[in-house]
Amino acid sequence: QQPVQSPQAVILREGEDAVINCSSSKALYSVHWYRQKHGEAPVFLMILLKGGEQKGHEKISASFNEKKQQSSLYLTASQLSYSGTYFCGTGLDKLIFGTGTRLQVFP
Amino acid sequence: EPEVTQTPSHQVTQMGQEVILRCVPISNHLYFYWYRQILGQKVEFLVSFYNNEISEKSEIFDDQFSVERPDGSNFTLKIRSTKLEDSAMYFCASSVTANTGELFFGEGSRLTVL
């Protein structure tokens, strides 16, 4: 079952913050986050494991709520380079990507 | 820095033709994957491969598709008889561990079926 992401799209000015949510109908053991720039391959941002620590990457961090079967990605003080489509990924034996959130950061 | 490489970068084929997409995963990785992405849409799982056999496959991965690791370095995806709806970007990925490990993606092979 594919995780559902919200919102579908976000438009920001440089320096603004954003939150991207990922929900699953199945129990989550881990959540991956990837960013894909236009015309490129997805690039790994971070992974959160059940019972593990919240992880961070530059000004991007994420949380993992096992009970709610949700994860959220936090982008703080966004930069132009943050533009792209963000995918969460879940699954035990195969990584299933979410519906995607397109983020556009303008100067 | 080690990377996953894919060839060809772009292939145009006629409907009904066979296509083979090639991937060289990172050398110490044990898990291999194929994903596809129709233009502007989500990244869809096709198949995972470990220890020289398929470990998981999706509904998309029907009898028209096959994968193999013929020589210990290449990892190939074959589509026997292409259809128009097979037109997509196909990404190969590899990882050291299963679901707890980072997936390293290749640059993709764009398949256009006419």
Side-chain angles (χ1 to χ4, degrees), chain B residues 34 39 55 69 77 97 106-107 112:
Chain B
W34 282 101
L39 187 63
S55 43
R69 196 147 189 256
L77 174 70
T97 59
E107 292 298 309
T112 302

Side-chain angles (χ1 to χ4, degrees), chain A residues 82-101:
Chain A
Y82 288 4
S83 293
T85 302
Y86 289 77
F87 293 98
C88 64
T90 65
L92 262 182
D93 300 314
K94 58 188 178 190
L95 193 66
I96 304 297
F97 286 98
T99 47
T101 297

Side-chain angles (χ1 to χ4, degrees), chain A residues 2 29-30 32 34 36 38-44 47 49 87 91-100 102, chain B residues 33 35 37 40-45 48 55-58 89 91 98-108:
Chain A
Q2 181 180 39
Y29 297 92
S30 66
H32 294 226
Y34 288 76
Q36 184 181 32
H38 183 70
E40 299 180 8
V43 173
F44 176 79
I47 182 171
L49 304 176
F87 293 98
L92 262 182
D93 300 314
K94 58 188 178 190
L95 193 66
I96 304 297
F97 286 98
T99 47
R102 184 167 294 177
Chain B
Y33 312 85
Y35 286 84
Q37 187 175 34
Q41 298 187 25
K42 61 195 180 205
V43 179
E44 298 177 291
F45 171 80
S48 59
S55 43
E56 289 284 342
K57 60 182 181 179
S58 70
M89 181 72 90
F91 290 107
N99 65 304
T100 58
E102 172 183 353
L103 262 61
F104 291 79
F105 283 85
E107 292 298 309

Side-chain angles (χ1 to χ4, degrees), chain A residues 29-95:
Chain A
Y29 297 92
S30 66
V31 178
H32 294 226
W33 284 97
Y34 288 76
R35 176 171 61 208
Q36 184 181 32
K37 292 187 179 284
H38 183 70
E40 299 180 8
V43 173
F44 176 79
L45 291 176
M46 68 190 74
I47 182 171
L48 298 104
L49 304 176
K50 185 176 179 179
E53 303 173 359
Q54 178 169 330
K55 295 218 171 185
H57 172 78
E58 299 174 345
K59 292 180 183 173
I60 302 173
S61 61
S63 62
F64 181 16
N65 188 323
E66 298 156 22
K67 280 189 178 178
K68 290 187 177 180
Q69 294 168 195
Q70 290 177 348
S71 177
S72 294
L73 187 72
Y74 305 94
L75 298 104
T76 307
S78 58
Q79 303 167 14
L80 295 175
S81 61
Y82 288 4
S83 293
T85 302
Y86 289 77
F87 293 98
C88 64
T90 65
L92 262 182
D93 300 314
K94 58 188 178 190
L95 193 66

Side-chain angles (χ1 to χ4, degrees), chain A residues 2 36 42 87 95 97, chain B residues 6 21 33-47 58-62 65 77 79 83-93 105 108-109 111 113:
Chain A
Q2 181 180 39
Q36 184 181 32
F87 293 98
L95 193 66
F97 286 98
Chain B
Q6 289 185 241
L21 305 178
Y33 312 85
W34 282 101
Y35 286 84
R36 82 169 185 193
Q37 187 175 34
I38 294 168
L39 187 63
Q41 298 187 25
K42 61 195 180 205
V43 179
E44 298 177 291
F45 171 80
L46 291 179
V47 65
S58 70
E59 293 171 353
I60 303 167
F61 195 88
D62 61 22
F65 291 87
L77 174 70
I79 309 174
K83 302 182 247 225
L84 295 175
E85 54 265 36
D86 292 330
S87 294
M89 181 72 90
Y90 288 81
F91 290 107
C92 172
F105 283 85
S109 293
L111 177 64
V113 182

Side-chain angles (χ1 to χ4, degrees), chain B:
Chain B
E1 187 177 317
E3 58 182 18
V4 176
T5 56
Q6 289 185 241
T7 54
S9 55
H10 189 192
Q11 180 152 359
V12 181
T13 190
Q14 295 290 326
M15 192 168 58
Q17 294 296 302
E18 177 182 283
V19 160
I20 297 176
L21 305 178
R22 291 181 170 81
C23 169
V24 179
I26 294 173
S27 61
N28 64 330
H29 287 190
L30 301 175
Y31 296 83
F32 314 115
Y33 312 85
W34 282 101
Y35 286 84
R36 82 169 185 193
Q37 187 175 34
I38 294 168
L39 187 63
Q41 298 187 25
K42 61 195 180 205
V43 179
E44 298 177 291
F45 171 80
L46 291 179
V47 65
S48 59
F49 192 86
Y50 169 70
N51 201 25
N52 281 322
E53 57 183 31
I54 291 173
S55 43
E56 289 284 342
K57 60 182 181 179
S58 70
E59 293 171 353
I60 303 167
F61 195 88
D62 61 22
D63 292 343
Q64 293 299 313
F65 291 87
S66 62
V67 289
E68 63 175 5
R69 196 147 189 256
D71 57 12
S73 60
N74 289 286
F75 178 50
T76 62
L77 174 70
K78 183 193 289 186
I79 309 174
R80 285 194 209 6
S81 177
T82 49
K83 302 182 247 225
L84 295 175
E85 54 265 36
D86 292 330
S87 294
M89 181 72 90
Y90 288 81
F91 290 107
C92 172
S94 68
S95 64
V96 175
T97 59
N99 65 304
T100 58
E102 172 183 353
L103 262 61
F104 291 79
F105 283 85
E107 292 298 309
S109 293
R110 180 169 296 285
L111 177 64
T112 302
V113 182
L114 303 176

